[in-house]
Amino acid sequence: MSNARIEVNFDKLEMLAGEEPEFMIEILEMIVEESPEVRSKMDSCFSSSSHDELASTAHKFKSSVNVLGHPVIDKLLKDIENTASGKLPSETESLSDLMDQFHQTCDVILEQIQQKLEDLKA
């Protein structure tokens, strides 16, 4: 997966926040704070083959990052959820590959969120 394709569009969140940048800051900070714990839990579930819990965690995180309106992370989390729960056919990407892509994508998205937070707080 090329990081060049990963670009967060904050329009959806800006629309939700309206004229209140504090609300947008709060949501973005929540995602930044929640991400390491979620990633760690997903890694732990993957390592221990707790696929149902991995699917559940991916689903919950997908709901949290939905406000970013980011199709790549949304699809990745959905694919992890469906693969872990056995809903996708075996010819799809392996769960290991999906987890690698998830980590790479999260790193890029979190960098963009941090930059947006700096801009909002300036």
Side-chain angles (χ1 to χ4, degrees):
M1 169 174 299
S2 167
N3 290 345
R5 296 184 343 188
I6 302 170
E7 185 69 35
V8 175
N9 180 340
F10 294 97
D11 291 347
K12 183 176 181 179
L13 183 55
E14 288 170 349
M15 188 178 76
L16 289 171
E19 298 295 316
E20 299 185 39
E22 299 84 21
F23 177 72
M24 192 168 175
I25 290 169
E26 185 178 322
I27 296 297
L28 293 174
E29 285 178 340
M30 179 195 71
I31 292 170
V32 169
E33 290 171 14
E34 184 180 281
S35 294
E37 182 180 324
V38 168
R39 292 171 72 169
S40 176
K41 183 173 183 180
M42 287 177 66
D43 286 342
S44 176
C45 292
F46 175 71
S47 296
S48 65
S49 296
S50 301
H51 291 165
D52 288 341
E53 191 173 356
L54 175 59
S56 175
T57 304
H59 179 79
K60 289 175 189 170
F61 193 53
K62 185 175 60 159
S63 298
S64 296
V65 297
N66 186 314
V67 295
L68 297 176
H70 196 277
V72 173
I73 192 71
D74 187 59
K75 182 179 180 340
L76 263 174
L77 288 166
K78 189 180 295 184
D79 287 350
I80 290 169
E81 176 186 359
N82 288 334
T83 301
S85 63
K87 293 179 183 173
L88 287 180
S90 60
E91 57 270 358
T92 62
E93 296 179 79
S94 75
L95 198 51
S96 177
D97 290 342
L98 290 171
M99 291 295 292
D100 288 344
Q101 290 176 30
F102 168 70
H103 283 290
Q104 292 170 9
T105 302
C106 276
D107 290 343
V108 173
I109 288 173
L110 288 171
E111 285 177 28
Q112 292 178 36
I113 290 172
Q114 291 289 8
Q115 183 60 54
K116 184 68 171 182
L117 281 169
E118 288 176 24
D119 294 346
L120 287 168
K121 291 177 179 180

